[in-house]
Amino acid sequence: MDGEFLLGIDVGTSGCKTELFDVNGYSLAKAYRGYPIIHPKPGWSEEDPEEWWRAVVDTTRKVLEVSKVDPSQVRGVSVSCTNACVPVNEDGKALRNAIMQIDRRTIPQAERIKEALSEERVFEVTGNPVAPGSFTAPIILWLKENEAKIFEKAYKFMVPTGYIVQRLTGEFTVDWSRAATTLLFDIKDKKWREEFCEELGIPLEKLPELHPSWEVVGSVTEKAASLTGLREGTPVVAGCMDTVAAAVGSGAIKGGDLFCVMGSVARVCAVLGRPSFDKRFLNTCHATPNEWVAIGCVNGAGLSLKWFIDAIGRQEKTLSEKLNLSPYQLLDLEAEKATPGSGGLVYLPYIAGERSPIWDPEARGVLFGLNLQSERINIVRSFYEGVAYAIRHNVEILRAILKGEGGYIKLSGGGARSKVWRQIIADVCGERVVTTIPLDTEPIGDTLIAGIGIGVYRNVEEAVKVLRLGEEEKPRREYYEVYSNLFTLYKRLYEHLKEDFKLLAHIEKRFL
């Protein structure tokens, strides 16, 4: 199989990562292009789907140019994505900006779904709680109630993967893993739940065609080939949710495997060998026939550090150019100087609301414990530790669900590049943390899924043999004890503040 290559494209929250691998799992070239999150109103988060497509075109052309691979040698393509909903017309053109997973406008629509279908009924069928932002159905209802003309014009309601697959192939599809985040999909029988659509007034014909992640759904069209540089006729599989691609790219393919993807949103996940779902997690189909993935989403992971740099990180921005280091590397150096526990500071990373395990879209970021002795380095480190507490909050529940299965946390994503953050997570959770190679697991997971779909690999077990593990951080028991006490406080703070978060949200709506 020498001279055969696979292309993985990940449409993330902050940007698009595209990478070309050979069939032995070695990267030939990768490219990244960012795009902005648009905030038209407080609590609203949108993105321009055309920016996704431009990023896919640019990064695909870049990897082909850098690798010098003949496009005819690219055997297959797979796309993964963040969570968003975008209505499109019959030509696949977006009718408005996509509404993103961290958007909080659909709280009333989520409540109406609970009233119309009941939470218990929805959970029994979909394996998921009813919540705003994370799921497509509340967004579709918001469009129906607030942008009726767009709702009527919509030919299909697409997720980012399906949107890009359509631009590549002309086919309107959605894979099982992303369909599972609509609240309209039967997660066990893997089909649209027609009575849910009927009772919510969502026409079934406006939903895309369902496919498993590894199934070839079309091929690159002449138009897409001219734009991307790919060969016309190159097979494209249905693709998947970014977290599912990361699971495959981490080698997390059997029940009990635990992994965490440290991106803008951290995803703390466990592979389930049976459909035993917990309401505190987002649950979805794996890119394997008879397994599922439980996903704990920490909204303010990488977003917390990005907010810090954008809002109060002027010195990091200034020094980064002088020292030839990124602002994030400078934050690492500052966090290392502070002692574990950050001098008693506790950060709640709820700057974009929070999902697992509290599912509170009205929660807010909190820095607790400031005093006259608090130094800047303590504040910086508290942000790292706050995200680690949120991760532990999810890990403890997942370990209970798994009943002791598994042994360590596989860590990937941009945040896993930070050695100090990896060590903090190990110390806070009291578990070994092992990085993946590569750290960006979505693109390589995409390529392995594409390879399964076109027959390069017989199955997922054969595909993941090409993967390797990287560095390991071991928990330090003395710091685990310190962090355990602060973790107890972390959880108590939310319980004490959750009613105040609701009051603040009410004040914002009425007066701000």
Side-chain angles (χ1 to χ4, degrees):
M1 293 188 291
D2 290 341
E4 295 186 330
F5 308 96
L6 299 163
L7 187 71
I9 301 168
D10 179 60
V11 180
T13 302
S14 303
C16 174
K17 296 175 290 191
T18 299
E19 197 160 358
L20 186 69
F21 290 86
D22 68 16
V23 294
N24 296 309
Y26 288 94
S27 174
L28 281 81
K30 59 183 176 180
Y32 175 85
R33 173 172 163 163
Y35 32 74
I37 301 175
I38 304 163
H39 302 287
K41 294 182 181 180
W44 289 24
S45 297
E46 300 182 353
E47 288 184 4
D48 180 359
E50 194 62 32
E51 286 286 341
W52 301 339
W53 177 239
R54 281 193 285 266
V56 169
V57 168
D58 289 353
T59 54
T60 301
R61 295 194 74 89
K62 184 68 173 178
V63 298
L64 290 173
E65 176 188 335
V66 171
S67 67
K68 301 188 186 310
V69 164
D70 188 315
S72 66
Q73 294 177 292
V74 178
R75 291 282 312 279
V77 179
S78 183
V79 184
S80 58
C81 72
T82 185
N83 199 1
C85 176
V86 53
V88 301
N89 64 17
E90 293 186 14
D91 296 323
K93 180 178 174 55
L95 298 174
R96 71 174 322 278
N97 284 340
I99 299 176
M100 304 302 293
Q101 61 178 341
I102 55 176
D103 188 280
R104 298 201 303 270
R105 80 186 71 179
T106 59
I107 294 172
Q109 287 72 32
E111 291 303 313
R112 280 196 275 285
I113 292 174
K114 292 178 185 179
E115 293 170 5
L117 303 178
S118 86
E119 283 190 273
E120 292 73 18
R121 186 179 170 204
V122 172
F123 181 74
E124 176 63 28
V125 171
T126 71
N128 281 301
V130 179
S134 300
F135 301 104
T136 307
I139 297 174
I140 296 175
L141 290 185
W142 185 90
L143 291 169
K144 184 178 182 180
E145 295 169 9
N146 295 274
E147 297 180 1
K149 289 183 179 179
I150 287 177
F151 178 85
E152 291 300 326
K153 287 181 181 178
Y155 174 63
K156 300 290 182 183
F157 292 105
M158 306 293 284
V159 299
T161 293
Y163 178 82
I164 297 302
V165 168
Q166 195 281 329
R167 296 295 294 263
L168 288 169
T169 67
E171 303 295 331
F172 294 86
T173 65
V174 66
D175 79 287
W176 292 345
S177 70
R178 265 293 165 233
T181 62
T182 63
L183 298 181
L184 303 171
F185 177 74
D186 189 319
I187 197 170
K188 297 172 186 174
D189 291 342
K190 299 180 176 65
K191 62 182 182 181
W192 293 123
R193 194 71 170 200
E194 294 186 24
E195 66 268 30
F196 280 14
C197 295
E198 183 177 342
E199 290 175 51
L200 294 175
I202 298 173
L204 186 64
E205 62 269 18
K206 288 184 181 289
L207 301 180
E209 189 176 274
L210 290 164
H211 294 273
S213 297
W214 60 88
E215 190 168 272
V216 174
V217 296
S219 59
V220 174
T221 64
E222 179 182 5
K223 181 179 179 181
S226 68
L227 292 170
T228 62
L230 292 167
R231 179 182 60 84
E232 182 183 355
T234 303
V236 180
V237 299
C240 59
M241 175 194 298
D242 47 7
T243 307
V244 168
V248 176
S250 300
I253 60 165
K254 65 180 187 302
D257 285 344
L258 196 74
F259 67 100
C260 177
V261 186
M262 293 289 289
S264 300
V265 173
R267 290 155 280 156
V268 190
C269 314
V271 178
L272 306 176
R274 57 190 182 280
S276 53
F277 306 126
D278 187 293
K279 290 181 180 180
R280 290 167 288 187
F281 298 97
L282 189 157
N283 296 289
T284 191
C285 300
H286 206 339
T288 54
N290 298 303
E291 288 178 316
W292 293 263
V293 181
I295 305 169
C297 294
V298 177
N299 278 355
L303 285 177
S304 287
L305 295 194
K306 185 178 186 303
W307 175 88
F308 187 98
I309 289 168
D310 291 344
I312 54 179
R314 182 176 299 176
Q315 74 177 43
E316 284 81 14
K317 290 181 179 179
T318 302
L319 287 173
S320 65
E321 294 183 9
K322 293 180 180 179
L323 300 177
N324 197 29
L325 294 171
S326 76
Y328 295 97
Q329 289 174 306
L330 293 175
L331 285 185
D332 281 359
L333 294 173
E334 293 174 68
E336 281 186 297
K337 294 176 184 177
T339 56
S342 302
L345 296 181
V346 177
Y347 170 61
L348 305 187
Y350 306 152
I351 58 171
E354 186 57 299
R355 283 183 282 174
S356 301
I358 64 173
W359 290 96
D360 188 347
E362 294 174 335
R364 296 291 186 271
V366 174
L367 183 59
F368 176 82
L370 281 171
N371 58 60
L372 291 174
Q373 286 72 49
S374 299
E375 298 182 52
R376 193 176 193 277
I377 57 172
N378 298 130
I379 296 172
V380 171
R381 186 179 179 96
S382 73
F383 273 56
Y384 288 75
E385 291 175 344
V387 174
Y389 296 141
I391 290 171
R392 176 172 172 176
H393 203 177
N394 286 283
V395 166
E396 286 192 347
I397 300 169
L398 288 171
R399 285 288 186 226
I401 293 171
L402 297 173
K403 295 180 171 54
E405 294 180 84
Y408 58 90
I409 302 171
K410 291 179 179 177
L411 198 66
S412 65
R417 291 185 172 86
S418 169
K419 183 175 177 61
V420 64
W421 212 351
R422 298 197 306 263
Q423 186 62 61
I424 287 171
I425 293 169
D427 292 339
V428 167
C429 294
E431 298 203 25
R432 290 186 299 134
V433 169
V434 182
T435 60
T436 61
I437 297 177
L439 286 175
D440 291 329
T441 43
E442 290 91 344
I444 192 169
D446 286 325
T447 61
L448 297 181
I449 293 167
I452 295 165
I454 63 171
V456 169
Y457 314 110
R458 286 174 297 177
N459 50 44
V460 69
E461 289 80 12
E462 181 179 278
V464 300
K465 288 179 180 179
V466 306
L467 300 174
R468 295 156 287 151
L469 291 177
E471 298 180 75
E472 178 178 332
E473 314 299 335
K474 295 179 180 178
R476 298 171 292 185
R477 303 312 302 180
E478 65 273 24
Y479 296 138
Y480 175 68
E481 292 178 10
V482 171
Y483 283 133
S484 291
N485 288 317
L486 290 169
F487 176 62
T488 298
L489 177 58
Y490 167 89
K491 291 189 292 183
R492 282 170 57 88
L493 283 172
Y494 171 71
E495 291 301 320
H496 291 158
L497 289 171
K498 61 183 180 182
E499 294 304 318
D500 295 322
F501 290 145
K502 292 179 181 178
L503 177 59
L504 178 58
H506 175 73
I507 293 169
E508 285 178 335
K509 291 174 185 175
R510 290 287 304 274
F511 306 109
L512 300 181

